[in-house]
């Protein structure tokens, strides 16, 4: 591939909108996704519960075992017979003191099922067709139990999901600051809002999947999984299979989207497929097993999010200044709690956004329901939080008859108040302190971008034509780049090309480009000379993972640390040969050269690849032929010197880690103009504008792509996407025929974007995260715009045309 546009031999690429180097490969069908691997593997399929809640009285697998091509059928009994580890509950990944009743399932259901889709039996066969046919021959005897579906039912506690959790409460979280009761009592104005965001789910183009290979000679297991967290998946599988980490390798191949649903580890299927590969491998039956999720499985047995009911009471003065924000949350946590309460923590710690009430109180419950588990979905609790806060802001403005932007301005935290300490604990366990941000600057830009001041006139004209249009706004602050750490390894090869690896994974964020930009700048080489590897424990074994918009901040910084170490080492080695001080050397144009000289000039520079040769104990390989190959005359190279200066290790490579003190806080403000059809109630987003702040930007093209994609997902969440269960816990829309996602035709005619840049002082490159931002305020913004168009309070999202139609009818009723 040719060097991407935007880079120069010596210029910095940080901040340049260079095209993503991975895209040619990915869009031309040359990606290697999970299902592109393991064609010779045996196929796994699962018998999944058709009931939302039931006891399992018995399982008959006899007929299925007889089916030709079936190699193994496993139930929980096989796990129990294998080892205590295999029989254990799946783990609680992020414990928290507010979790009062952690309950988790098993890799295969033990004696009860708690949601439709829960895996009960695994079949391994020659191919998926046979495996599915065998599943159909398996008879599970169920005694059905009443299902708890939806927050209201869970709250009523008439029935329970887990018999030993009588109120269905998995966790109860309370926090805040100030004297909320006193502030509410004294506030000149008070309002209470009931708000709801329905359950939804992320729909990556590629579902989950895992493929495992057992090596009986090495007694080692390698598995490929479509995951966001390969190092943690490796650790989890090693623990469950009772193996040492060095005998288990986990690789995330190309991953066709994750959006949070692929964070959890281990999935039941990961446990079962790896375990079966080892078991069948040891028995000499087969060494490879693979399972690829089908779309229905993705709907019913992977993970959902979003579902929350809120009650907000605000107290404010005549100017609209927020005195008290009293926030109750009920979160639909699903049947089990593998991911703890991270979504609830996000909602409850980020609801304040750019505003600073005098008093704040959260009272939050996570409730068990007989539905599939919850994992954070892009935005992870923040869209719900912003919906609560921004709907309250609009309600205050309406109550006081004031402009919605003005009310927000009144309450903004100001740049001079940064860093702003809320005296609360953030979801990462560290203090909630905003590091930087200029929310007013963002609003000023947005006002122009969307043409806020001209809208009233436009609305009037539209009205006169019989059209209904409305405008809405929503601001947010997002904690990004949480620790605890991320690491990277950077190696300059003797060819001068750079190989660099980090442990976190990639699902489409363009890391091969943006991380390469950082390394390329530090080493003074073109971006196209840097190869980035992610998500392969064989290359880099220690990592946390890709979520919470932490890739740029965490791995980006780790790459910078490691590349800087390599650059320093290269200068030290070169200084010995060029006889100049390290301080007088720089890395530029693929050379280590004397500052101010032309890279490549004889006597004042050495190619980076040659420095790599010199750093190597086997540098005698730098003979006449390699001199010719590199075109480097090399008079200045003295082979009698030791490879590296005293105190350094040979090899032009380094491993660096980055661990931030706290999260860094990105922010943004969005506005939308919508039109609603007076007859059909069809809702159309005409224009959408985003002003976004993720600190210093590595690659504006990537960031804009991330924001654009996330806004599309946000529009999906506002107008189309929701998971619908009936009262028995059966999902009514578990297919793309019924679960609506926006096409490009549903996107606004224009999506404009602008940036403010308030760098973070917490990491060396001043970055903040960007990957989730676009989805966070979208529901709030679109709800506000519909409300403006219709004059009807919008308190529940998503909203469909038929729901708007009914709202009109209710509102018009006497
Ligand atoms: N970036 C940048 N400058 C910044 C910040 C980010 O150039 N100041 C670049 C990064 O280098 C990276 C991209 O923007 O290439 C996103 O970076 P970041 O915000 O750090 O997010 P992560 O890399 O941690 O990715 C995770 C984030 C999350 S949490 C979800 S959910 C999500 C998202 O990314 N899932 C995605 N974007 C996605 N995009 C695709 N295509 N697929 C998914 O599953």
């Amino acid at each position: 591939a040719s060097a991407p546009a935007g880079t120069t031999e010596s210029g910095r690429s940080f901040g340049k909108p260079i095209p993503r180097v991975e895209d040619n490969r990915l869009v031309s069908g040359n990606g290697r996704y999970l299902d592109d691997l393991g064609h010779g593997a045996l196929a796994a399929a699962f018998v999944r519960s058709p009931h939302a809640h039931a006891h399992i009285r018995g399982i008959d697998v006899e007929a299925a075992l007889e089916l030709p091509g079936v190699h193994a059928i496993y139930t929980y009994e096989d796990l129990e017979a294998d080892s205590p580890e295999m029989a254990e509950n799946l783990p609680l990944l992020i414990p928290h003191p507010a979790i009062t009743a952690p309950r988790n399932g098993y890799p295969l259901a033990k004696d009860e099922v708690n949601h439709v889709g829960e895996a009960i039996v695994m079949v391994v066969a020659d191919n998926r067709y046979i495996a599915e046919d065998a599943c159909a021959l398996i008879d599970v005897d169920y005694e059905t139990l009443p299902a708890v579906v939806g927050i209201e039912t869970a709250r009523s506690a008439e029935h329970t999901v887990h018999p030993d959790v009588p109120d269905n409460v998995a966790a109860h979280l309370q926090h805040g600051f100030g004297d909320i009761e006193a502030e509410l009592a004294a506030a000149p104005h008070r309002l209470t809002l009931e708000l709801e965001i329905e359950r939804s789910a992320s729909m990556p183009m590629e579902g989950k999947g895992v493929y495992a290979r057992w090596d009986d000679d090495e007694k080692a297991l390698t598995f490929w999984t479509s995951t966001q967290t390969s190092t943690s998946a490796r650790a989890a599988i090693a623990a469950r299979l009772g193996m040492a980490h060095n005998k288990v390798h986990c690789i995330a191949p190309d991953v066709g989207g994750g959006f949070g649903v692929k964070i959890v580890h281990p999935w039941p299927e990961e446990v079962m497929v790896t375990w079966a590969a080892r078991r069948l491998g040891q028995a000499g039956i087969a060494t490879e097993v693979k399972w690829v999720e089908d779309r229905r499985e993705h709907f019913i047995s992977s993970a959902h999010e979003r579902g929350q009911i809120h009650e907000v009471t605000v107290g404010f003065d005549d100017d609209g200044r927020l005195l008290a924000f009293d926030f109750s949350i009920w979160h639909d946590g699903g049947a089990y709690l593998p991911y703890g309460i991270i979504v609830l923590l996000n909602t409850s710690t980020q609801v304040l956004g750019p505003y600073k009430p005098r008093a704040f109180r959260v009272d939050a419950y996570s409730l068990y329901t007989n539905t599939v588990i919850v994992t954070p979905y892009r935005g992870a609790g923040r869209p719900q939080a912003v919906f609560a806060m921004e709907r309250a802001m609009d309600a205050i403005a309406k109550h006081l008859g004031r402009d919605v932007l003005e009310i927000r301005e009144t309450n903004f935290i100001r740049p001079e108040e940064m860093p702003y300490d809320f005296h609360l604990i953030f979801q990462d366990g560290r203090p909630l302190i905003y590091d930087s941000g200029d929310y007013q600057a963002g609003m000023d830009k947005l006002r122009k971008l969307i043409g806020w001041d001209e809208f009233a006139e436009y609305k009037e004209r539209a009205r006169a034509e019989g059209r209904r249009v409305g405008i809405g706004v929503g601001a947010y602050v997002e904690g990004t780049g949480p620790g605890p750490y991320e690491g990277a390894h950077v190696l300059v090869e003797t060819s001068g090309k750079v190989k660099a690896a980090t442990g976190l994974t990639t699902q489409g964020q363009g890391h091969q480009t943006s991380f390469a930009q950082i390394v390329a700048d530090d080493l003074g080489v073109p971006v196209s000379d840097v190869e980035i590897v992610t998500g392969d424990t064989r290359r880099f074994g220690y990592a946390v993972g890709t979520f919470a918009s932490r890739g740029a901040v965490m791995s980006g910084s780790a790459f910078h640390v490691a590349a800087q170490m390599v650059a320093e080492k290269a200068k030290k080695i070169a200084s010995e040969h060029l006889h100049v001080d390290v301080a007088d050397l720089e890395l530029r144009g693929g050379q280590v050269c004397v500052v101010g000289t032309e890279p490549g000039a004889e006597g004042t520079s050495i190619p980076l690849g040659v420095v790599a040769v010199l750093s190597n104990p086997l540098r005698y390989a730098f003979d006449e032929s390699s001199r010719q190959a590199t075109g480097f005359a090399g008079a200045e190279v003295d082979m009698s010197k030791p490879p590296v200066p005293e105190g350094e290790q040979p090899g032009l490579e380094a491993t660096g880690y980055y661990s931030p003190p706290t999260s860094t806080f990105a922010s943004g403000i969005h506005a939308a103009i919508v039109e609603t059809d007076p007859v059909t109630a069809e809702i159309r987003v005409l224009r959408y504008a985003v002003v976004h702040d993720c600190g210093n930007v590595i690659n504006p093209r990537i960031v804009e792509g991330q924001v654009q994609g996330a806004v599309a997902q946000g529009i999906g969440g506002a107008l189309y996407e929701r998971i619908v269960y009936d009262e028995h816990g059966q999902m009514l829309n578990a297919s793309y025929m019924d679960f609506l996602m926006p096409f490009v035709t549903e996107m606004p005619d224009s999506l404009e974007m602008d940036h403010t840049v308030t760098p973070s002082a917490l990491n060396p490159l001043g970055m903040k995260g960007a990957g989730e931002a676009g989805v966070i305020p979208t529901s709030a913004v679109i709800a506000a715009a519909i409300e403006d168009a219709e004059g009807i309070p919008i308190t529940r999202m998503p909203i469909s045309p038929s729901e708007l139609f009914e709202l009109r009818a209710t509102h018009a009723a006497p």
Side-chain angles (χ1 to χ4, degrees), residues 466-492:
R467 293 170 56 213
R468 295 183 191 184
V469 293
I471 194 165
V473 66
Y476 67 95
V477 174
E478 178 199 6
T480 64
Y485 76 92
E486 213 57 63
H489 179 250
V490 172
L491 164 81
V492 179

XYZ file of all heavy atoms in Angstrom, residues 466-492:
188
model
N -48.329 24.651 6.861
C -48.954 23.438 7.395
C -47.955 22.380 7.827
O -48.304 21.218 8.015
N -46.691 22.776 8.005
C -45.669 21.806 8.424
C -45.342 22.013 9.885
O -45.390 23.120 10.406
C -44.396 22.017 7.588
C -44.553 21.688 6.120
C -43.338 22.157 5.341
N -42.117 21.568 5.898
C -40.933 22.178 5.912
N -40.805 23.392 5.415
N -39.892 21.588 6.430
N -44.983 20.911 10.550
C -44.580 20.997 11.949
C -43.096 20.716 12.064
O -42.653 19.606 11.742
C -45.324 19.968 12.795
C -46.794 20.211 12.866
C -47.438 19.200 13.784
N -48.883 19.298 13.635
C -49.737 18.607 14.351
N -49.310 17.742 15.255
N -51.028 18.747 14.162
N -42.342 21.670 12.523
C -40.904 21.450 12.738
C -40.553 21.875 14.160
O -41.229 22.719 14.758
C -40.027 22.226 11.727
C -40.205 21.679 10.319
C -40.309 23.706 11.773
N -39.520 21.268 14.682
C -39.088 21.600 16.046
C -37.586 21.467 16.170
O -36.935 20.769 15.374
N -37.055 22.145 17.180
C -35.606 22.094 17.398
C -35.347 21.631 18.829
O -36.134 21.923 19.740
C -34.974 23.495 17.121
C -33.444 23.394 17.006
C -35.346 24.517 18.210
C -32.808 24.645 16.390
N -34.262 20.888 19.003
C -33.917 20.411 20.344
C -32.422 20.425 20.530
O -31.650 20.377 19.571
N -32.013 20.470 21.791
C -30.587 20.542 22.107
C -30.306 19.600 23.280
O -31.199 19.294 24.061
C -30.186 22.007 22.446
C -30.863 22.481 23.730
C -28.682 22.165 22.562
N -29.063 19.168 23.371
C -28.677 18.329 24.502
C -27.169 18.331 24.672
O -26.424 18.222 23.698
N -26.730 18.517 25.913
C -25.296 18.553 26.207
C -24.932 17.389 27.118
O -25.781 16.851 27.820
C -24.945 19.868 26.886
N -23.684 17.010 27.083
C -23.252 15.887 27.924
C -21.770 16.030 28.252
O -21.015 16.731 27.566
C -23.481 14.541 27.204
C -22.583 14.414 25.996
C -21.349 13.756 26.089
C -22.930 15.011 24.794
C -20.502 13.703 24.996
C -22.090 14.949 23.698
C -20.876 14.294 23.808
O -20.038 14.256 22.729
N -21.390 15.353 29.318
C -19.973 15.178 29.645
C -19.782 13.689 29.845
O -20.634 13.021 30.433
C -19.590 15.951 30.934
C -18.155 15.648 31.337
C -19.767 17.446 30.718
N -18.694 13.169 29.324
C -18.505 11.717 29.314
C -17.128 11.358 29.866
O -16.112 11.782 29.309
C -18.618 11.240 27.857
C -18.396 9.770 27.684
C -18.061 9.388 26.235
O -17.886 10.283 25.389
O -17.938 8.178 25.978
N -17.113 10.598 30.936
C -15.842 10.092 31.456
C -15.289 9.072 30.484
O -15.951 8.091 30.156
N -14.091 9.297 29.977
C -13.505 8.379 28.988
C -12.112 7.972 29.451
O -11.538 8.586 30.350
C -13.362 9.063 27.612
O -12.432 10.149 27.745
C -14.676 9.596 27.105
N -11.588 6.953 28.799
C -10.208 6.551 29.055
C -9.924 6.136 30.482
O -8.896 6.520 31.034
N -10.840 5.336 31.100
C -10.523 4.894 32.457
C -9.357 3.908 32.468
O -9.108 3.229 31.478
C -11.812 4.209 32.909
C -12.476 3.763 31.659
C -12.106 4.754 30.602
N -8.668 3.837 33.585
C -7.532 2.931 33.743
C -8.018 1.514 33.925
O -9.051 1.179 33.368
N -7.329 0.667 34.661
C -6.128 1.062 35.385
C -4.876 1.190 34.511
O -3.990 1.949 34.840
C -5.954 -0.057 36.416
C -6.675 -1.227 35.838
C -7.797 -0.676 35.025
N -4.778 0.452 33.443
C -3.541 0.544 32.664
C -3.769 0.018 31.254
O -4.773 -0.626 30.955
C -2.419 -0.288 33.321
C -2.596 -1.773 33.069
C -1.988 -2.385 31.972
C -3.408 -2.553 33.886
C -2.189 -3.733 31.704
C -3.614 -3.893 33.623
C -3.003 -4.483 32.537
O -3.220 -5.806 32.270
N -2.840 0.292 30.380
C -2.764 -0.391 29.089
C -1.285 -0.344 28.687
O -0.546 0.546 29.129
C -3.662 0.309 28.061
C -4.311 -0.588 27.010
C -5.173 -1.728 27.557
O -6.203 -1.475 28.220
O -4.809 -2.896 27.307
N -0.846 -1.301 27.928
C 0.570 -1.370 27.583
C 0.777 -1.530 26.088
O -0.169 -1.778 25.330
N 2.020 -1.349 25.673
C 2.333 -1.506 24.248
C 3.797 -1.907 24.091
O 4.643 -1.570 24.930
C 2.074 -0.204 23.502
N 4.048 -2.619 23.027
C 5.413 -3.012 22.681
C 5.727 -2.446 21.307
O 4.920 -2.578 20.383
C 5.538 -4.537 22.669
C 6.909 -5.008 22.293
N 7.176 -5.628 21.098
C 8.083 -4.917 22.947
C 8.465 -5.916 21.036
N 9.040 -5.489 22.149
N 6.881 -1.791 21.185
C 7.272 -1.198 19.900
C 8.653 -1.722 19.529
O 9.570 -1.706 20.363
C 7.292 0.348 20.000
C 7.884 0.963 18.735
C 5.880 0.890 20.232
N 8.768 -2.217 18.322
C 10.018 -2.818 17.866
C 10.373 -2.276 16.484
O 9.544 -2.308 15.567
C 9.836 -4.341 17.780
C 10.868 -5.126 16.991
C 12.120 -5.370 17.845
C 10.311 -6.467 16.535
N 11.619 -1.775 16.347
C 12.088 -1.377 15.013
C 12.859 -2.552 14.446
O 13.817 -3.047 15.069
C 12.996 -0.136 15.082
C 13.477 0.245 13.678
C 12.263 1.039 15.717
